[in-house]
Amino acid sequence: MKFLLTEVSPVNLIFFRFFFGSILLFLLLFFFEDVKMPARDLLHVAFLGLVGITLYQFLFTYALKSTSVTNVSIIINSAPLYGGVLSSLLGFEKFNGKRALGAIAGFFGVFIIITKGNFFLDTGDTTGNLLAVGASFLWALYTILSKPLLDRHSPLKVTTFSMIIGSILFLPFIPFYSDPEEYVRLSVTGWVILVCTVIFSVVVAFFLWYRAVSRIGPSRTIIYQYAIPVFAAVFAWLLLGERIYFSQVAGAAIVFSSIWLARRS
């Protein structure tokens, strides 16, 4: 995402990913399930699309463009803390002591991994940092509010409809923020990465996320978000030759301990 933002504007990036992601998901839904959604659930799924696709992606992408990857990574990973509180307040799941301890410990582990044990958060851009805070809250809200729909519909259907509506709601931004010529100027490497983000981080990831929420509940699912920096560090080591620090190993141990604790709560 950070690489793509050097060649493509945030709006062009979001629109391409979710417009074509919506098409792929709709084709999967059409061939493997049915495309009917009761009218009584359309407003709910439309709100999900607004929160988790339109607004979240807008804030997240502009945060990534405005401030450092380190800041965004840490701030976004506060979502499990918001998610636990929201889930309890809305009456979906009880945010008990074990789950709260797991969420706090996991966030601490993430902080260690991303800062490599320096416990230093970049100053960055204040606006970008605030956008990341807003995005984190919206992602937690998006995850929690999906549970009632997932009790009545398949993860694929909820994913597809929320993404389609979220993409449609994004259209008003296009005339003001989009530059179609950027697609023409995009490098071959950029196109490969862009297609990969559509297939893996939109279609596959969103479907698996909703499937997890339907199986184990929103607050248990969202705490797995803490594992993302762990795998990012591992792939950076395998693919880019980056060094893994002992502090990051310790942080990973804390993250997986927090996930284990949340599973038992």
Side-chain angles (χ1 to χ4, degrees):
M1 288 283 289
K2 190 69 174 178
F3 172 82
L4 285 171
L5 287 170
T6 64
E7 298 193 26
V8 183
S9 65
V11 169
N12 275 347
L13 179 56
I14 298 168
F15 180 72
F16 185 96
R17 293 175 71 223
F18 287 92
F19 177 77
F20 287 100
S22 298
I23 293 173
L24 292 175
L25 282 168
F26 183 80
L27 291 173
L28 288 172
L29 185 66
F30 181 80
F31 285 109
F32 294 103
E33 295 184 21
D34 68 90
V35 295
K36 297 177 182 177
M37 174 69 74
R40 63 187 176 91
D41 289 332
L42 281 177
L43 186 61
H44 189 161
V45 79
F47 185 69
L48 273 186
L50 173 66
V51 170
I53 305 299
T54 311
L55 297 179
Y56 168 77
Q57 290 297 328
F58 194 85
L59 294 185
F60 171 73
T61 308
Y62 269 95
L64 201 57
K65 186 174 180 65
S66 303
T67 191
S68 68
V69 174
T70 299
N71 284 17
V72 174
S73 299
I74 292 173
I75 295 170
I76 285 294
N77 274 286
S78 61
L81 299 174
Y82 302 136
V85 174
L86 285 171
S87 184
S88 182
L89 289 175
L90 295 173
F92 294 144
E93 295 173 301
K94 185 178 179 182
F95 194 47
N96 56 35
K98 282 186 178 180
R99 201 169 296 174
L101 180 61
I104 295 170
F107 181 75
F108 181 67
V110 165
F111 196 90
I112 293 174
I113 294 168
I114 295 173
T115 62
K116 299 179 175 64
N118 293 325
F119 300 98
F120 175 75
L121 188 66
D122 294 340
T123 304
D125 178 78
T126 302
T127 301
N129 293 338
L130 291 175
L131 289 174
V133 171
S136 179
F137 179 81
L138 288 175
W139 181 251
L141 183 63
Y142 174 65
T143 302
I144 299 303
L145 293 181
S146 67
K147 186 63 172 69
L149 279 173
L150 290 166
D151 290 337
R152 300 190 293 273
H153 304 288
S154 72
L156 180 58
K157 183 174 288 189
V158 175
T159 306
T160 301
F161 273 88
S162 64
M163 195 168 293
I164 289 173
I165 296 173
S167 299
I168 292 172
L169 293 174
F170 198 76
L171 289 176
F173 293 102
I174 300 299
F176 302 100
Y177 295 96
S178 181
D179 178 10
E181 292 185 3
E182 287 181 342
Y183 297 124
V184 179
R185 297 192 298 266
L186 188 61
S187 65
V188 174
T189 302
W191 274 110
V192 171
I193 295 174
L194 186 56
V195 171
C196 285
T197 66
V198 172
I199 295 172
F200 297 109
S201 63
V202 174
V203 176
V204 176
F206 271 77
F207 169 70
L208 292 178
W209 186 262
Y210 268 138
R211 189 172 177 82
V213 173
S214 69
R215 292 285 188 90
I216 63 174
S219 63
R220 279 191 176 92
T221 298
I222 203 170
I223 204 165
Y224 279 85
Q225 183 172 323
Y226 288 148
I228 296 174
V230 177
F231 290 109
V234 171
F235 281 117
W237 170 62
L238 290 173
L239 302 177
L240 304 177
E242 291 189 8
R243 178 183 174 187
I244 290 183
Y245 296 84
F246 176 77
S247 58
Q248 291 178 302
V249 176
I254 295 173
V255 165
F256 287 120
S257 297
S258 72
I259 293 173
W260 175 80
L261 188 63
R263 280 173 53 88
R264 293 175 58 87
S265 62

